[in-house]
Amino acid sequence: MIKPLNIAIIGGGIGGLATAIALLKHGFDVKVYERAETLRSVGAGLTLTPNGLNSLEVIHPGIVEVLKQAGSQLNTLTLKRSTGEAIASNPITVVQQYGQPMLNIRWSRLQEILASALPTDIIHFGHRCVGFEQLDNSVTLFFSGGKTVETDLLIGADGINSIVRQNLIGDGSPNYAGRVSWRAILQFEHEQLAPNTSTLLTSADGKNFLLVDVGGGYTFWSASALSADDFVHQRATASKTRVLERFADWAEPAGEIIKATPTDHIVERPICDRPPLRHWSNGGVVLLGDAAHPVVPSLGQGANMAFEDACELAACLAAASNIKTALKSYENSRLPRTEVIYNRSSIQGYRSYQRDSETTLNEMMEASQMNQNEFETWLYSYHPGARACIS
Ligand SMILES: Cc1cc2nc3c(=O)[nH]c(=O)nc-3n(C[C@H](O)[C@H](O)[C@H](O)COP(=O)(O)OP(=O)(O)OC[C@H]3O[C@@H](n4cnc5c(N)ncnc54)[C@H](O)[C@@H]3O)c2cc1C
């Protein structure tokens, strides 16, 4: 094991926090640098799948039980036309198949639970990294305001627009995937919404509206539509008007939940990804989570992959005798799997927005889809304890 090793993580999002917990458990000296002044209250919900939950449980035994109390286990997925007509309604049986549920949770609760597993002096808020410089055996981090920090290893967990990636790889901006999304979370009741249920409304012109019970009386809604360019409004009122117009004639509760959402809680964003890389590291710098492999959210795997990365990177650093070997092991283990998930997310994301989206989404729900079943088994049965690091 490489010790003592100072590790700096740029980004206190869910990937960075999970990595900090995993590294502390292995006895490393870790600091997280986050540009925000406090934990961000992100207006979103997330679906955690068995592969991500298995990784979190290895990182911090007992955490999945806490997450289950805070979230909502998905029992039923319903697909409807934009008119409200039901197309299919399927029981979700992943817990019986893989031993962990599909768990829907508020992003902010997930982040709070992860942060509460860390000593309070680990996360340094108000630290925006603006670059780094590698020396022979150390990395110097530069922050806005002029502060510098020396570290043995830098982990870039700073999301899809990663500054660490920009300095390390320099591959420019993310790719716009051709659609814009709106999302928010609020306490909302409606006769069409049942506990432990997700409902996806779809139309033949490439629009989707998803409603998810995320526990605690909260509903997460996420709408998306094809758009020739990645333009988003700067003013919250204009974003709300745009999404209301786009979904004006849709079955309830689409319109009602948008109207009930406080205007400044609606997040309007272009959907983007980046093509897979051959390497995520150089010297004493390595990428993790969306900084390494951002995907479109068609399979809900971005955060789940970040948890897999966190578990694997910590295990590789704990097992290897030097940083180079550890980072090589981590890349060997993670690159092939994340590339498969990227490809699948991208194909599924593209097909879900074509004219035959109704057929595609219905097919995805059919248990008889052999390759879908095989893929899900491969995806969800991932368990970090079941494999050793590959050198
Ligand atoms: C609409 C939508 C729905 C999604 N649904 C799901 C889902 O159901 N399941 C799932 O698994 N994934 C989902 N995802 C993907 C998931 O949100 C991301 O993959 C996940 O948040 C990645 O975590 P991360 O920690 O790598 O990056 P982020 O969550 O983006 O965190 C990066 C952190 O770095 C900080 N930061 C950035 N730059 C700097 C800097 N220069 N200096 C210091 N700090 C910095 C940011 O403030 C932030 O806190 C969804 C994404 C979207 C857009």
Side-chain angles (χ1 to χ4, degrees), residues 69-72 106 185-190 193 195-196 212-220 257:
Q69 299 301 319
S72 163
R106 278 182 285 153
I185 206 158
L186 69 159
Q187 287 196 305
F188 185 79
E189 284 181 15
H190 193 278
L193 299 177
N196 307 104
V212 182
D213 167 29
V214 285
Y218 285 86
T219 298
F220 167 55
I257 199 166

Side-chain angles (χ1 to χ4, degrees), residues 9-19 32-40 42-49 51-52 103-105 107 110-111 124-131 142-144 156-164 181-183 210 212 220-224 267 269-272 288-307 309:
I9 300 173
I10 299 297
I14 46 190
L17 295 179
T19 307
V32 176
Y33 297 97
E34 165 58 47
R35 67 182 172 189
E37 295 297 331
T38 66
L39 283 184
R40 295 181 304 162
V42 182
L46 286 173
T47 303
L48 302 183
T49 51
N51 52 313
L103 186 66
N104 294 315
I105 189 165
W107 190 317
L110 172 63
Q111 208 172 17
H124 299 258
F125 290 106
H127 280 70
R128 177 187 288 272
C129 179
V130 292
F142 303 109
F143 293 93
S144 60
D158 48 343
I160 189 165
N161 294 304
S162 167
I163 188 83
V164 178
S181 75
W182 300 263
R183 59 182 196 265
L210 176 67
V212 182
F220 167 55
W221 65 264
S222 170
S224 45
V267 179
R269 291 274 183 281
I271 299 286
C272 297
L288 178 144
D290 274 10
H293 44 67
V295 295
V296 296
S298 52
L299 298 177
Q301 281 300 311
N304 289 291
M305 284 194 287
F307 298 142
D309 291 351

Side-chain angles (χ1 to χ4, degrees), residues 17 56 65 98 110 112 122 128 133-134 137 156 187 215 249 264 279 281 302 315 337 343 349 354 370 373:
L17 295 179
L56 281 176
E65 213 34 62
Y98 306 106
L110 172 63
E112 277 166 18
I122 297 282
R128 177 187 288 272
E133 190 174 74
Q134 295 215 52
N137 289 311
Q187 287 196 305
D249 52 351
D264 58 353
H279 296 284
S281 69
R337 180 170 167 88
N343 287 331
Q354 299 311 298
M370 233 354 246
N373 273 354

